[in-house]
Amino acid sequence: NKNYSACLQTSQLLLKYDSHNPQNLYLRAESSKLTGNLQEALTYVNFYLDCFPDDESAVYLKVQVLYESQDYRNALIELNKLIDLNSSKKEYFILRGETYFLLESWKLAADDYSMALDIYPFLPDVWYKIGVCQHNQNNSEKACHAWKKAAGMKNRQAAEMLFKYCAE
């Protein structure tokens, strides 16, 4: 129902009545994130990860909280752990790529986007972002190639960049 405040209230009750169940910590962290209380979400997910440090979904939740909090340095640390836990998820590479992109680390962002495309090549937004990364590294040929791929998948921004920078 997307009634996140009711979800938060339920998670509070679960913790109150069954405080020894660690799954309730995770639910509280998740519901806190959904209601926008990122600091509280981080607190509860950290409690949960103290018990289960290799729980992939909890590490991913922590990464999302850190990313939304704009704590990119710690998000990158956790993303590295997450990718060590499971390197087969394109979402993890995309999120790390997005983080590097925001930090203007063009090469690292392009490398992560490429890893995501190795897993699943039909991601027009990722092709577009690789083009931007290559463009910012003064590699016009690779940028134009990436934008051409993205434009072929109906990415409008890529088509605009293609016409602007890759006129032949």
Side-chain angles (χ1 to χ4, degrees):
N1 296 345
K2 297 190 187 234
N3 186 349
Y4 302 132
S5 58
C7 178
L8 181 62
Q9 290 172 348
T10 302
S11 69
Q12 290 169 334
L13 288 173
L14 284 170
L15 266 178
K16 180 179 176 183
Y17 294 118
D18 191 5
S19 61
H20 298 293
N21 183 347
Q23 190 62 30
N24 292 338
L25 292 169
Y26 180 85
L27 293 172
R28 178 68 184 268
E30 194 171 38
S31 60
S32 295
K33 177 191 168 289
L34 291 171
T35 57
N37 192 341
L38 299 177
Q39 189 57 48
E40 183 175 288
L42 188 60
T43 299
Y44 282 99
V45 78
N46 280 333
F47 287 150
Y48 181 83
L49 285 168
D50 285 344
C51 300
F52 306 101
D54 293 333
D55 184 314
E56 185 179 334
S57 62
V59 176
Y60 187 53
L61 177 61
K62 183 175 181 178
V63 165
Q64 292 172 315
V65 169
L66 291 168
Y67 184 85
E68 288 179 27
S69 301
Q70 299 179 347
D71 185 353
Y72 301 125
R73 181 182 164 277
N74 285 318
L76 285 170
I77 291 168
E78 296 300 320
L79 275 162
N80 290 334
K81 289 179 193 174
L82 189 59
I83 290 171
D84 284 344
L85 286 172
N86 184 352
S87 61
S88 67
K89 295 238 178 153
K90 67 183 182 311
E91 294 83 5
Y92 301 165
F93 288 104
I94 292 170
L95 188 54
R96 192 168 70 177
E98 291 292 321
T99 306
Y100 284 130
F101 191 91
L102 288 170
L103 297 172
E104 298 182 0
S105 295
W106 308 120
K107 182 180 178 347
L108 295 172
D111 290 346
D112 277 337
Y113 290 143
S114 292
M115 292 295 291
L117 290 171
D118 286 345
I119 296 167
Y120 186 76
F122 306 105
L123 300 166
D125 293 339
V126 174
W127 279 110
Y128 165 73
K129 292 270 180 101
I130 284 181
V132 172
C133 292
Q134 296 298 341
H135 176 74
N136 286 321
Q137 294 179 83
N138 297 317
N139 193 337
S140 298
E141 187 177 322
K142 288 184 178 181
C144 291
H145 171 75
W147 288 330
K148 187 174 182 180
K149 292 279 261 189
M153 293 182 221
K154 311 280 190 251
N155 183 292
R156 183 178 177 174
Q157 292 174 297
E160 291 171 3
M161 297 300 267
L162 198 58
F163 286 117
K164 185 174 181 179
Y165 294 107
C166 304
E168 294 179 17

